[in-house]
C-alpha cells in the first residue's frame, strides 16, 4: 500500500508530494516501479487525495504499456498488468492513518501488508525484499532502519527560548524508514484498536506517526531490518537535488552494465562462429 498524501508545498509545488517530478517521473511512479521490480507484491493499493484520484490512475497507467484490463469502481480504479501486478488507486482519507485503513479494505485477501511512503521513492528493491522476508519468517511487524549519526538532545521551551538538555545515547536510537511490513491481521487489529481509542478519547487520542506505532500498542514487538541511505524521504528542495543525483547515478550505472552485457553477448556470438 502506498499512501500518496502529503503536501508538496515545501518542494515548491501545490500538488501532493507524490506527484512532484524527479528527473521526469513522479515520486509515485518511481515508487511503483520499484515495488514491481522488487517482486514482493501482487496487489498494490495507492491511496490518493480524492481530488487527485484520476491523476493517480493516469500515473499508474503510465508505468505499463502491457495493461490487460482497466475497470472503474465507485471510488477506485484498477489497472491489472498482464504479468502479476494489480494496481488500484483509491480515494484516501483525511490523514495517513485513515488512508491506510481505506487501503486495507481493498487488500482483504492479503496475508502480508507493506505500507510505503511515496516520498521515499528511491528506496532500493532490496529493502522491500528484506522487510517482506522478515514478515514471512514470523515477525508481526518489521521496519527498515538506519543508525542515528547526529548528536541528539532533548528540547524544552522556556519563555521565548528553546533550552537543550543532555545528549541522548545514539547507540539505542534508529532512523525509521519505509516500507513497513506487517502480518495483515495484526495491522488490522492495530487499526481497530486505534479507532476504539479515538471513539473513547475523541480529540485527545494520541495518533502515532506510523503504523508500527499502532502495532506497538498491541504489545507486540517491532523487528528491525537494514534500511538504506538512498531511501531518503523527499521533503525539501535539497532532497530533490540529492534524489536527482541518485537517479542519474543509477541510470548511468545501468547503461554501463547493459553496454558491458551487450559486448559480452557479441563476443560469445563471434566465438561460436
Amino acid at each position: 500500500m502506498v499512501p500518496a498524501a502529503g503536501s508538496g508545498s515545501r518542494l515548491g509545488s501545490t500538488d501532493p508530494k507524490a506527484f512532484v517530478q524527479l528527473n521526469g517521473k513522479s515520486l509515485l511512479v518511481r515508487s511503483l516501479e520499484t515495488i514491481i521490480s522488487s517482486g514482493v507484491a501482487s496487489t498494490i493499493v495507492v491511496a490518493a487525495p480524492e481530488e487527485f484520484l484520476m491523476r493517480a490512475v493516469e500515473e499508474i497507467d503510465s508505468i505499463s504499456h502491457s495493461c490487460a484490463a482497466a475497470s472503474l469502481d465507485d471510488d477506485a480504479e484498477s489497472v491489472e498488468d498482464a504479468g502479476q501486478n494489480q494496481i488500484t488507486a483509491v480515494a484516501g482519507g483525511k490523514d495517513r492513518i485513515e488512508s491506510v485503513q481505506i487501503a486495507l479494505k481493498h487488500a482483504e485477501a492479503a496475508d502480508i501488508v507493506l505500507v510505503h511512503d511515496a516520498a521515499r521513492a528511491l528506496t532500493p528493491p532490496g529493502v522491500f525484499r528484506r522487510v517482506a522476508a522478515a514478515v514471512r519468517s514470523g515477525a508481526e511487524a518489521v521496519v527498515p532502519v538506519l543508525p542515528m549519526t547526529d548528536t541528539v538532545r532533548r528540547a524544552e521551551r522556556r519563555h521565548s527560548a528553546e533550552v537543550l538538555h543532555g545528549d541522548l545515547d545514539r547507540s539505542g536510537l534508529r532512523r525509521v524508514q519505509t516500507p513497513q511490513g506487517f502480518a495483515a491481521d495484526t495491522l488490522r487489529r492495530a487499526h481497530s484498536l486505534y479507532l476504539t481509542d479515538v471513539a473513547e478519547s475523541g480529540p485527545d487520542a494520541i495518533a502515532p506517526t506510523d503504523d508500527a506505532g499502532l502495532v506497538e500498542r498491541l504489545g507486540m514487538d517491532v523487528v528491525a531490518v537494514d534500511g538504506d541511505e538512498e531511501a531518503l524521504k523527499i521533503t525539501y528542495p535539497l532532497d530533490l537535488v540529492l534524489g536527482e543525483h541518485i537517479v542519474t547515478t543509477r541510470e548511468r550505472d545501468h547503461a554501463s552494465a547493459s553496454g558491458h552485457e551487450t559486448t559480452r553477448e557479441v563476443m560469445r556470438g563471434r566465438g561460436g562462429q
Side-chain angles (χ1 to χ4, degrees), residues 15 30 38 59 74 79 107 115 126 131 134 175 185 215 264 268:
D15 291 345
R30 290 192 179 278
S38 73
E59 295 282 89
D74 291 339
V79 178
V115 181
V131 171
R175 292 178 283 156
D185 289 344
V215 171
R264 286 196 295 270
R268 292 192 191 103

Side-chain angles (χ1 to χ4, degrees), residues 164-177:
L164 303 179
H165 299 280
D167 294 347
L168 297 177
D169 182 4
R170 289 182 300 190
S171 65
L173 299 176
R174 298 291 182 270
R175 292 178 283 156
V176 175
Q177 300 181 321

